[in-house]
Amino acid sequence: EKGTYPHFMLKEIDEQPFVMRKIINEYQTENNELKLDENIRAAMKACDRIYIIAAGTSYHAGLVGKEFIEKLAKVPVEVHVASEFSYNMPLLSEKPLFVFISQSGETADSRAVLVKIKELGYPSLTITNVPGSTLSREADYTLNLYAGPEIAVASTKAYTAQIAVLAILAVDTAKAQGITLDFDPMQELAIVANAMEILTDQKEGIEELVREYLPTSRNAFFIGRSTDYHVCMEGALKLKEISYIQAEGFAGGELKHGTIALIEEGTPVIALATQENVNYSIRGNVQEVVARGANALVISMRGLEQDTDAFVIPHVHELLTPLVSVVPLQLLAYYAALHRDCDVDKPRNLAKSVTVE
Ligand code: M6R
């Protein structure tokens, strides 16, 4: 139940630090080793390529997961939108492993892919918040998200739980392959949980940013590079689905290939700057849009911040920044919807789980 919260979405945003701690507990042994089903470990080791299949927010989590698995475990990963994969299957590798990411475990588009790849005899793993769900029952293996029921149509805590579990899976696979990593994932996730808590305590500041940057605009752009780009896609989806502001997340470098034509006086542009190797380039993109009149809201990370940044998130491990940078974006969407008197938890035309094609 909502308790004292006006909306499930706000409650679920606030629950994220607790979900992180729950995941740390569930995926750790008493000796601080990673706790993962041996069969999953073996399947991850045996495959030559991973195909992540998902929709919406879960697809966005998959994009971040690809980076973890490729960078840490050195296994190639493709991420596919489920509804596309069904009709336009790419050329598969010799030993594929299919990973389905789904909060509900009931998304019809993903289920259709699972049926198809099972017919072809390929192994499957479902990462879900609902252990008894169809995708969980029908796949060979399941990893649970432990996020607790997510009621609001806009997915928040499931997204961060998916990313945390994907990080654990990537680290575990790396270790199983004898790759040594220079950080302790559980320690880093604990730092993330604390950072999330700091951000959920800054709601008034974010509501103020909504007044300043998204007052009456009909559209908004989110720009980022590298990992930040993927979080921008999620920030835009959150904003559009609950506030009905037309929002687009795209790669900073793509601006000059078309989208910059849309920037005019007062256009809101939300830029993420949490990645050191692209900090200089994304700052350049911000200057480009500001020069054309954009109202640019820069969200950066401690250590990379500049004086003009509107919001600075606490410093966390560079790979895990999506877990933290998404929180202000979720809150921006929440307050933008609230200020427009939208039905935050039940946006028009949408269902919590999409069980039809
Ligand atoms: O239950 P699933 O994770 O499979 O759902 C996938 C999408 O329908 C879902 O993430 C949707 O995009 C959310 N409403 C986004 O907030």
Side-chain angles (χ1 to χ4, degrees):
E1 279 313 297
K2 278 195 297 228
T4 53
Y5 282 93
H7 298 100
F8 280 107
M9 184 182 177
L10 197 60
K11 173 172 178 269
E12 289 161 5
I13 290 173
D14 270 5
E15 282 170 351
Q16 292 177 107
F18 306 101
V19 175
M20 285 301 114
R21 293 181 189 126
K22 171 86 176 153
I23 289 172
I24 294 171
N25 282 335
E26 293 291 341
Y27 283 100
Q28 190 163 240
T29 66
E30 280 166 10
N31 309 326
N32 294 345
E33 300 283 339
L34 292 186
K35 190 165 78 188
L36 215 78
D37 177 351
E38 277 300 333
N39 294 316
I40 297 179
R41 201 166 271 160
M44 290 291 287
K45 248 186 116 174
C47 72
D48 64 357
R49 184 174 289 259
I50 289 165
Y51 293 81
I52 293 181
I53 310 289
T57 287
S58 299
Y59 170 73
H60 295 158
L63 294 173
V64 177
K66 169 186 163 80
E67 293 178 38
F68 296 158
I69 298 169
E70 291 195 336
K71 288 184 180 148
L72 301 175
K74 316 285 180 208
V75 181
V77 182
E78 290 179 21
V79 193
H80 292 273
V81 167
S83 58
E84 280 298 305
F85 192 95
S86 293
Y87 295 106
N88 197 2
M89 208 192 279
L91 197 59
L92 299 179
S93 66
E94 253 172 58
K95 288 185 285 175
L97 169 65
F98 283 83
V99 176
F100 293 86
I101 307 179
S102 175
Q103 187 286 131
S104 64
E106 301 296 345
T107 297
D109 293 326
S110 300
R111 285 172 58 188
V113 178
L114 178 54
V115 169
K116 205 165 263 183
I117 65 104
K118 275 178 79 170
E119 276 167 17
L120 295 170
Y122 295 128
S124 51
L125 159 67
T126 289
I127 301 179
T128 183
N129 204 23
V130 186
S133 59
T134 311
L135 279 168
S136 162
R137 278 184 280 112
E138 293 183 355
D140 297 323
Y141 320 108
T142 298
L143 284 175
N144 292 331
L145 294 175
Y146 300 107
E150 192 182 63
I151 310 293
V153 165
S155 183
T156 53
K157 62 177 179 171
Y159 172 77
T160 43
Q162 286 162 346
I163 291 177
V165 169
L166 284 161
I168 290 169
L169 181 65
V171 169
D172 190 82
T173 308
K175 288 192 171 159
Q177 281 167 337
I179 299 173
T180 13
L181 302 174
D182 60 358
F183 65 93
D184 174 346
M186 295 313 196
Q187 255 172 33
E188 298 301 334
L189 285 175
I191 294 171
V192 162
N194 294 342
M196 285 173 157
E197 219 153 48
I198 291 170
L199 295 178
T200 51
D201 281 345
Q202 293 182 25
K203 295 191 186 72
E204 280 169 21
I206 305 235
E207 189 167 8
E208 201 43 52
L209 292 178
V210 168
R211 283 199 192 91
E212 198 177 324
Y213 291 89
L214 296 167
T216 52
S217 37
R218 284 190 49 80
N219 59 3
F221 297 102
F222 291 73
I223 58 169
R225 285 172 178 254
S226 176
T227 278
D228 287 337
Y229 165 40
H230 299 138
V231 183
C232 282
M233 291 166 76
E234 173 58 9
L237 176 59
K238 281 299 83 91
L239 187 67
K240 75 175 94 165
E241 78 175 322
I242 59 169
S243 77
Y244 316 138
I245 297 173
Q246 187 193 0
E248 215 55 64
F250 61 95
E254 279 291 288
L255 262 175
K256 54 178 136 338
H257 299 289
T259 316
I260 202 159
L262 293 169
I263 305 292
E264 49 188 34
E265 202 54 43
T267 305
V269 176
I270 295 140
L272 282 188
T274 75
Q275 301 293 301
E276 194 170 3
N277 66 330
V278 292
N279 198 29
Y280 179 80
S281 327
I282 192 67
R283 302 284 177 180
N285 295 138
V286 170
Q287 279 172 9
E288 284 159 14
V289 293
V290 167
R292 282 146 184 102
N295 201 6
L297 188 176
V298 180
I299 299 178
S300 62
M301 182 165 76
R302 185 72 60 217
L304 299 174
E305 77 269 32
Q306 293 186 0
D307 289 346
T308 48
D309 295 349
F311 199 82
V312 182
I313 62 169
H315 188 276
V316 295
H317 190 286
E318 193 164 53
L319 280 176
L320 300 179
T321 54
L323 291 169
V324 182
S325 60
V326 79
V327 178
L329 303 189
Q330 295 167 341
L331 287 166
L332 277 178
Y334 175 78
Y335 287 111
L338 200 67
H339 291 184
R340 284 163 197 240
D341 284 331
C342 298
D343 189 346
V344 172
D345 283 339
K346 287 201 181 76
R348 67 186 180 207
N349 308 342
L350 291 171
K352 179 62 183 162
S353 84
V354 185
T355 53
V356 289
E357 191 195 42

